[in-house]
Amino acid sequence: EVQLVESGGGLVHRGGSLRLSCAASGFTFRSFAMGWVRQAPGKGLEWVSSISTETLRTDYADSVKGRFSISRDNSKNILFLQLSSLRADDSAEYFCVRDTIGGSRSFDSWGQGTRVTVSS
Amino acid sequence: SYELTQPPSVSVAPGKTARLTCGGNDIGTKSVHWYQRRPGQAPVQVISFDIDRPAGIPERFSGSNSGNTATLTITRVEAGDEADYYCQVWDSDSGRVIFGGGTRLTVL
């Protein structure tokens, strides 16, 4: 069974940093592209970032480019998202997602989410 | 930049058919994926690549995509189908993933 378990969320001051982690199990992690999707309170889903299997390609939403960094450790089956220069509008629930094999940005598995709250 | 348009809300009586639309310029040339988010739960993919139904998703859920509109159809709607539904595409050239604004399905 595919499991994605996020951690690292919490309360942080505006301008601060946070690192989110996603522990993956139940599948061959290194064979799948991965990503992060967020949902702010009362808003819709927003894609944040994606990373290819061997980190050859990373993509970011314009809203986070230059402030967030996605990475992965294939030896430990962990996906990361480093959040920096945080703003109030970064407050959201952040979901770790698995991409379908081949990396077509079709998210077939989702974690339960970790909440980030940026205080001013 | 590419945009997807979904109606904010759709209401349907139990046992009837719900059709949720997702509009985008020439969306028929892209692969569309659909997600369901029930309150308090993580999103779940209900349709991938326009028409594919992931394992565990009831046959009542189906998708289509042509021209400027993709559609998620839910037949014999049940109370448990009440949720927010999101369409999504990938612009492979830019690397960007685009979600629609979501449609809240209310079962009357």
Side-chain angles (χ1 to χ4, degrees), chain B residues 3 7 9 11-13 20 24 29 33 48 53 56-57 60 88 99-100:
Chain B
E3 293 185 358
S9 62
S11 298
V12 63
L20 283 61
T29 64
H33 317 292
S48 65
R53 200 171 45 251
I57 302 301
R60 302 184 297 104
Q88 174 247 311
F99 282 96

Side-chain angles (χ1 to χ4, degrees), chain B residues 67-92:
Chain B
N68 293 316
T69 304
T71 303
L72 172 68
T73 301
I74 310 171
T75 59
R76 301 184 303 281
V77 166
E78 303 173 355
D81 297 332
E82 194 162 272
D84 293 329
Y85 291 84
Y86 297 89
C87 59
Q88 174 247 311
V89 299
W90 178 40
D91 180 351
S92 57

Side-chain angles (χ1 to χ4, degrees), chain A residues 4-95:
Chain A
L4 302 171
V5 179
E6 302 94 336
S7 60
L11 178 64
V12 61
H13 290 297
R14 185 175 56 189
S17 298
L18 211 57
R19 189 174 83 157
L20 307 183
S21 300
C22 171
S25 60
F27 64 101
T28 305
F29 181 72
R30 69 172 66 88
S31 297
F32 288 81
M34 300 291 295
W36 293 92
V37 173
R38 69 184 181 183
Q39 185 168 23
K43 304 291 187 180
L45 297 176
E46 180 189 16
W47 170 75
V48 174
S49 180
S50 290
I51 186 168
S52 64
T53 52
E54 299 295 339
T55 316
L56 295 178
R57 176 171 181 169
T58 57
D59 294 301
Y60 298 92
D62 289 344
S63 58
V64 307
K65 194 174 293 185
R67 300 187 301 119
F68 290 11
S69 177
I70 191 171
S71 61
R72 62 192 296 163
D73 185 337
N74 286 343
S75 67
K76 297 181 179 178
N77 296 348
I78 303 177
L79 176 72
F80 300 102
L81 185 68
Q82 179 70 43
L83 290 64
S84 304
S85 303
L86 283 162
R87 311 184 305 216
D89 62 0
D90 293 318
S91 295
E93 194 166 18
Y94 284 74
F95 296 97

